[in-house]
Amino acid sequence: MHTFFAPDLSGSTYTLPEDESKHAVRVLRLAPGDAVELLDGRGGLYAAAVAEANPKRCQLRITGHTHEAPRSHFTHVAVAPTKNLDRMEWFVEKAVEVGVERISFLRCARSERRELKLERLEKIAISALKQSGQAWLPQLDELQDFGAFVAGVAPETTYIAHLEEGERTALAQVAGAGPGCCVLIGPEGDFSPQEIALALARGIRPVTLGASRLRTETAALGAVFTAQLVRA
């Protein structure tokens, strides 16, 4: 069944935006009476049927509605975006498919990417939401400085995955200890010693994702996957 994203859905009918209407009618060849599914990204799952197959204003009639409660365990990953944006796009797509509630982007001392536009990443997140059937669209946060970010998190549920020497706990051992977790993933050159010290001084605990040295986007996805396995 074809799925559409309807963030502003209310009432018993919904009209697809023009680009989605054209895709539904001209590409998918949907006709009156055909069944479709709508997601609002806020837990709402809607059954619908095509009422008017207009390529500019395809109107749908809502035939059913269920609501999925938020997950009991909240997964938040804060990652320094890579210079090659394709790798961050891949991460966002896969993280949404696996299940993540929030993604923040960090500007670190060793970051190669200092600016980030969310529009493209938000579209990828919506596409992954529709493909995977997830009911909740993750929150994507604007790029912000590492220091400002760590000053605003709850240290008791926040962990930093760094490569410096020292004692680190496996993320799988601690990710399920509370109602949620936030994992910090640094740039390709890792967090700077000063950033690590700042995080530890805030009470943020160091963790490891395993023995391998992972790329930034792989480490970020590994953190999401680990948190999902722990709470399953």
Side-chain angles (χ1 to χ4, degrees), residues 1-91:
M1 185 180 298
H2 300 295
T3 303
F4 297 93
F5 183 59
D8 53 350
L9 192 155
S10 63
S12 60
T13 62
Y14 183 77
T15 302
L16 294 175
E18 186 171 347
D19 59 336
E20 289 273 56
S21 293
K22 183 177 180 180
H23 181 73
V25 177
R26 295 282 170 79
V27 179
L28 301 179
R29 303 290 185 183
L30 294 180
D34 286 347
V36 298
E37 181 182 55
L38 299 174
L39 305 174
D40 65 9
R42 304 185 304 277
L45 306 168
Y46 300 82
V50 177
E52 181 182 356
N54 186 316
K56 290 189 176 182
R57 297 179 70 259
C58 182
Q59 189 174 74
L60 309 176
R61 175 173 49 86
I62 308 303
T63 59
H65 172 223
T66 60
H67 188 272
E68 184 176 300
R71 298 185 183 98
S72 58
H73 189 282
F74 193 91
T75 301
H76 180 189
V77 170
V79 58
T82 53
K83 183 177 181 180
N84 185 342
L85 195 56
D86 288 350
R87 289 159 57 186
M88 278 296 97
E89 293 175 355
W90 176 87
F91 161 64

Side-chain angles (χ1 to χ4, degrees), residues 163 185-188 209-220 222-223:
L163 300 175
I185 305 294
E188 290 296 330
L209 297 171
S212 299
R213 185 183 294 269
L214 304 176
R215 286 184 177 274
T216 294
E217 70 278 11
T218 310

